[in-house]
Amino acid sequence: VPTSSGRKKEQPTGYHHGDLRQALIDAALRILAKKGSAQLNLRQLARQTGVSHAAPYRHFQDKNALLAAVAEEGFRKMTAKMRALAGTEANPVLRLQRHGMGYVQFATENPAHYRVMFGSELQQKHADESLAAASAEAFSVLLDAVVACQLAGLARPGDPMNSALFCWSGVHGLSLLLIDGKLGPCGIGKTNTHPLVEEITGLIVDSLQHSRR
Amino acid sequence: VPTSSGRKKEQPTGYHHGDLRQALIDAALRILAKKGSAQLNLRQLARQTGVSHAAPYRHFQDKNALLAAVAEEGFRKMTAKMRALAGTEANPVLRLQRHGMGYVQFATENPAHYRVMFGSELQQKHADESLAAASAEAFSVLLDAVVACQLAGLARPGDPMNSALFCWSGVHGLSLLLIDGKLGPCGIGKTNTHPLVEEITGLIVDSLQHSRR
DNA sequence: ACCTGAACACCGTTCAAGT
DNA sequence: ACCTGAACACCGTTCAAGT
């Protein structure tokens, strides 16, 4: 059975939406941005989308499936941001740092969305295949960058997995501390990123070079 | 007004409990350990404690206040574990690493509890003073250990805050990746800690020494 | 195929009333 | 002081019925 047939563009049947599924996801992102995950519920989503509270069940098995779709979109956007911030930078160490800064930037710009991606509202994350794939692709950006550093002799050799996980731990922890406001106010200016972000991501990538282990 | 009068030992009045407040917290911890935070609700807690569903409101303003108390107890236990794992170790760098391992160990042994401490179920964490104090004390363990490293010339000088936050980011991120199973099965054996934990906490403390910044 | 309306079980919270 | 029972608003989910 095709698991996601007709997912991208549903026929505009003359019913309320050509793509209620995407409309629900968009509404969820709006709620997350404005109110937070505590206010996110299917009935409210249905109301905002102009359908009955039972309609979402035509597109999602349950609330958890909706959350999984929201998380999946988050991973795609985060991956794009990580790649965008690296731009055309040639130095592999700096590329890795820019990926990390992109990661943190996505998290601090979309705190509630980020929380859905990693928090416990969303149950059994591993059960959703396409969510797992989107998450793996984000990680692969870090992993590939670490390998590039190794090839250039700018990171300790050996299994790149550990080094990449170390980087992920660092940016993940940093993001959450920023979101929780443990490191002071999160949004300093509009486009400016927090000065600590550059410093700490720098510490992270540096430690890949200098480690004695 | 005393904010928490008679908090430790309430008089056994002959009513259902000498200390319903603590009984509710204990019941919450039991649910978190066995079922996860999704199953944690006041009515179930009241049922398990043998009181009506309205009784908890005599001791907690709302569900959020109960979660704050649960989180606070988590920070105390985590602080104790961080101190315990350092034991009588003399080397300040190794002490710092042991603190980090204790942090991760608490998180992986009590994943749902840890999630309440840092997740978004609990709203406005900063509003609860005694929760903020318990959280700050846990952080101070790391901070003090970093200062000790600096005094011994084993960590770069300068504001120890950044270095401590870097360490916290690392163990926080590592804990969550482990809890989410991104680094393979979490509980390898009963008392054995994951081999990656020692390695990555080692990387973290090492980077405090070797950083060029 | 897609959506509606009623219905069920459940939860957070409040409040008058009980001991 | 501490607890109970009824009550209200709300949510997730299901299902027969509509177009």
Side-chain angles (χ1 to χ4, degrees):
Chain A
V1 261
T3 54
S4 57
S5 63
R7 195 163 191 166
K8 270 293 158 59
K9 281 186 187 178
E10 293 180 6
Q11 308 282 0
T13 60
Y15 277 85
H16 294 75
H17 292 88
D19 194 349
L20 178 56
R21 180 190 153 87
Q22 190 59 44
L24 288 167
I25 295 178
D26 291 344
L29 292 180
R30 231 174 298 130
I31 300 254
L32 285 177
K34 275 197 293 208
K35 312 258 186 172
S37 64
Q39 306 298 322
L40 184 63
N41 65 71
L42 287 183
R43 289 179 101 111
Q44 174 81 6
L45 253 42
R47 250 175 262 135
Q48 290 206 356
T49 319
V51 293
S52 79
H53 60 258
Y57 288 88
R58 288 287 123 198
H59 300 274
F60 297 100
Q61 202 190 3
D62 52 24
K63 186 182 180 184
N64 204 58
L66 181 274
L67 288 177
V70 168
E72 185 182 334
E73 186 150 329
F75 278 110
R76 292 196 204 291
K77 289 185 177 172
M78 189 169 75
T79 301
K81 192 120 214 167
M82 289 167 74
R83 294 203 168 113
L85 250 76
T88 58
E89 171 65 50
N91 181 325
V93 173
L94 289 181
R95 282 192 72 81
L96 178 58
Q97 181 180 9
R98 304 292 294 179
H99 287 324
M101 290 173 67
Y103 183 106
V104 176
Q105 192 174 323
F106 172 84
T108 54
E109 282 175 357
N110 310 278
H113 197 173
Y114 186 76
R115 277 230 145 89
V116 170
M117 293 157 61
F118 289 100
S120 50
E121 299 98 328
L122 170 53
Q123 314 265 336
Q124 319 141 270
K125 301 183 185 60
H126 59 282
D128 188 314
E129 281 184 37
S130 69
L131 170 58
S135 153
E137 191 181 348
F139 178 64
S140 78
V141 175
L142 287 184
L143 189 59
D144 293 348
V146 166
V147 171
C149 290
Q150 287 181 329
L151 292 175
L154 294 170
R156 63 182 183 136
D159 188 353
M161 196 61 111
N162 283 2
S163 295
L165 288 170
F166 169 75
C167 292
W168 195 8
S169 293
V171 291
H172 187 40
L174 176 57
S175 298
L176 287 165
L177 293 180
L178 282 165
I179 287 174
D180 277 351
K182 309 274 188 193
L183 280 61
C186 197
I188 298 187
K190 282 248 171 156
T191 55
N192 268 3
T193 139
H194 197 295
L196 266 178
V197 174
E198 185 157 9
E199 170 150 359
I200 293 190
T201 52
L203 275 178
I204 293 170
V205 297
D206 275 3
S207 68
L208 293 184
Q209 310 182 58
H210 301 296
S211 170
R212 295 169 309 188
R213 294 172 190 248
Chain B
V1 264
T3 54
S4 60
S5 63
R7 195 164 191 166
K8 271 292 160 60
K9 280 187 185 178
E10 291 180 8
Q11 308 284 358
T13 60
Y15 277 84
H16 294 73
H17 293 88
D19 193 349
L20 177 56
R21 183 190 151 85
Q22 189 59 45
L24 288 166
I25 295 178
D26 292 344
L29 293 180
R30 228 174 300 130
I31 300 252
L32 286 175
K34 274 197 292 206
K35 311 259 185 171
S37 65
Q39 306 298 322
L40 184 62
N41 66 71
L42 287 182
R43 289 177 103 110
Q44 174 81 7
L45 253 41
R47 251 176 260 132
Q48 289 206 358
T49 320
V51 293
S52 81
H53 60 259
Y57 288 87
R58 290 284 123 198
H59 298 275
F60 297 100
Q61 201 189 4
D62 52 24
K63 185 182 181 182
N64 204 57
L66 182 272
L67 288 176
V70 167
E72 185 182 334
E73 185 150 329
F75 278 110
R76 292 195 203 294
K77 287 185 179 173
M78 190 169 74
T79 302
K81 193 121 210 163
M82 289 166 75
R83 294 202 168 115
L85 249 76
T88 58
E89 171 65 51
N91 182 324
V93 174
L94 289 181
R95 283 192 71 81
L96 178 57
Q97 181 179 10
R98 304 292 293 180
H99 287 323
M101 291 173 67
Y103 184 106
V104 177
Q105 191 174 324
F106 173 84
T108 53
E109 283 175 354
N110 309 278
H113 196 173
Y114 186 75
R115 278 228 144 90
V116 170
M117 293 158 62
F118 289 100
S120 51
E121 298 99 327
L122 170 54
Q123 317 263 336
Q124 318 141 273
K125 300 184 186 59
H126 58 283
D128 187 315
E129 283 184 34
S130 70
L131 170 58
S135 154
E137 192 182 346
F139 178 64
S140 79
V141 174
L142 287 183
L143 188 59
D144 293 349
V146 167
V147 170
C149 289
Q150 288 181 326
L151 292 175
L154 295 170
R156 62 182 184 139
D159 189 351
M161 196 62 111
N162 283 2
S163 296
L165 288 170
F166 169 75
C167 292
W168 195 7
S169 293
V171 291
H172 188 40
L174 176 57
S175 298
L176 287 165
L177 294 180
L178 282 165
I179 287 173
D180 278 350
K182 308 274 186 191
L183 279 63
C186 197
I188 299 187
K190 282 250 171 156
T191 55
N192 269 4
T193 139
H194 198 295
L196 268 179
V197 174
E198 185 156 8
E199 171 150 358
I200 293 190
T201 52
L203 275 178
I204 293 170
V205 297
D206 275 3
S207 68
L208 293 185
Q209 308 182 59
H210 301 296
S211 169
R212 294 169 308 187
R213 295 172 189 244

